[in-house]
Amino acid sequence: MASSRSSRRDIETATNSPGQAGARDSASRNQLSGIPEGFFIQWFKSHGRYFPWRERHVTPFGVLVAEILLRQTKAEMVASCWPELVKRYPSPQELAQAREGEIWELVHNLGLGRQRVLALRAVSSELVRRFKGQVPASLEELLSLPHVGLYTAHAVCVFAFGMRLPVVDSNVIRLFSRLTGQQMKKDIRRCLVAWEIAWSILPATGAREHNFGLLDFAGTVCTSLYPACISCPISCYCVYHACSNKFITNSSSSRGDDT
Ligand code: SF4
């Protein structure tokens, strides 16, 4: 059962590929059709960022913990505390039983007050109570967890379970907005056109590397304040670049909380 925080249409748009969902408005997709297939995979191989939670041996719970920590927080800061957190609490059982102060000690530097501690404990407790301490390999079941929204559920499905799904965060929305020249909603749940575009550029294989590349490209090249248009390898497909920065785009530079 999907969470009431995400509407049925949100989930259907985010989870159905264009082929499954039937006819869609193809205008936005066509605008990006010139970008070579596999571009973001290739870009990731040469320019992608390394973070410990991206290693293949990381458990689904480790991936989920990382995604919760990454909300509204720079990845470099998360990298300073994630290894110790998952070493001390490698499973939902251990994290659910941990004292709040012990978790706080490890994550307080990331900001957001106690929110993160409460989120980590709540999601861990729910995994123990409803899923025998396992992270479910199902988008709908992930969405039924507290503090898990569309971005996080998709990220866990792709990065932990290797599913072929798109991943959209606020930086990706900004990138798509600039590439297409369309104003887009900042809200990850409600920006349906961004999910549609993300589906349209998803390659048949390599969803993991493609999404890492897309997230990194949006977060490090097409940045909020100073997009690197001069050296951007896809500037020839970009409406924003062609129109000399005419468009007002999403100015958020953090991943944000999509719950
Ligand atoms: S040309 Fe500039 S605005 Fe367009 S995608 Fe590249 S970095 Fe972003």
Side-chain angles (χ1 to χ4, degrees):
M1 189 75 182
S3 165
S4 59
R5 289 186 302 277
S6 303
S7 75
R8 174 169 291 279
R9 183 158 183 242
D10 292 342
I11 295 166
E12 284 176 352
T13 301
T15 57
N16 292 341
S17 69
Q20 291 169 314
R24 291 185 189 281
D25 175 7
S26 61
S28 299
R29 294 206 297 273
N30 290 341
Q31 280 174 286
L32 273 67
S33 62
I35 296 176
E37 193 172 337
F39 168 78
F40 289 105
I41 295 176
Q42 292 309 318
W43 187 88
F44 177 70
K45 285 179 181 168
S46 49
H47 299 91
R49 295 179 294 178
Y50 167 80
F51 296 112
W53 53 86
R54 287 184 171 183
E55 291 188 8
R56 287 204 176 263
H57 64 77
V58 173
T59 65
F61 184 62
V63 173
L64 176 57
V65 167
E67 293 300 340
I68 290 172
L69 297 182
L70 284 163
R71 289 175 188 165
Q72 299 176 46
T73 308
K74 290 204 175 301
E76 290 75 13
M77 288 185 70
V78 174
S80 70
C81 71
W82 177 87
E84 184 60 24
L85 189 66
V86 293
K87 187 176 159 198
R88 273 198 218 176
Y89 312 112
S91 72
Q93 290 88 341
E94 283 144 310
L95 193 49
Q97 288 169 8
R99 288 174 193 273
E100 212 179 292
E102 292 169 351
I103 306 171
W104 171 253
E105 197 181 296
L106 292 174
V107 304
H108 71 277
N109 282 341
L110 304 181
L112 293 185
R114 291 174 61 238
Q115 274 183 44
R116 233 181 285 264
V117 176
L118 297 177
L120 288 169
R121 288 189 49 150
V123 77
S124 299
S125 299
E126 198 72 353
L127 288 171
V128 172
R129 191 176 73 79
R130 290 177 43 218
F131 297 102
K132 298 181 180 170
Q134 301 295 312
V135 176
S138 148
L139 195 58
E140 284 238 320
E141 287 177 332
L142 282 162
L143 283 166
S144 75
L145 293 168
H147 305 282
V148 173
L150 280 179
Y151 165 79
T152 303
H154 279 238
V156 171
C157 282
V158 175
F159 304 141
F161 298 115
M163 294 184 195
R164 182 181 176 270
L165 288 171
V167 179
V168 171
D169 71 356
S170 57
N171 292 331
V172 169
I173 293 175
R174 182 182 60 243
L175 171 67
F176 289 165
S177 173
R178 285 171 171 168
L179 283 168
T180 63
Q182 282 189 53
Q183 293 277 0
M184 292 186 190
K185 294 176 181 170
K186 294 178 185 177
D187 186 334
I188 294 167
R189 288 168 300 177
R190 295 194 172 80
C191 192
L192 305 185
V193 66
W195 288 98
E196 288 168 355
I197 293 171
W199 265 115
S200 75
I201 62 169
L202 190 64
T205 58
R208 179 183 162 87
E209 287 74 18
H210 166 83
N211 281 302
F212 280 149
L214 182 61
L215 293 168
D216 284 0
F217 187 92
T220 64
V221 177
C222 195
T223 58
S224 174
L225 292 179
Y226 305 107
C229 301
I230 301 299
S231 57
C232 175
I234 52 174
S235 60
C236 57
Y237 309 107
C238 179
V239 174
Y240 178 94
H241 181 59
C243 296
S244 306
N245 305 349
K246 255 166 127 179
F247 296 90
I248 300 164
T249 55
N250 179 356
S251 62
S252 171
S253 60
S254 64
R255 175 148 300 161
D257 189 339
D258 64 340
T259 58

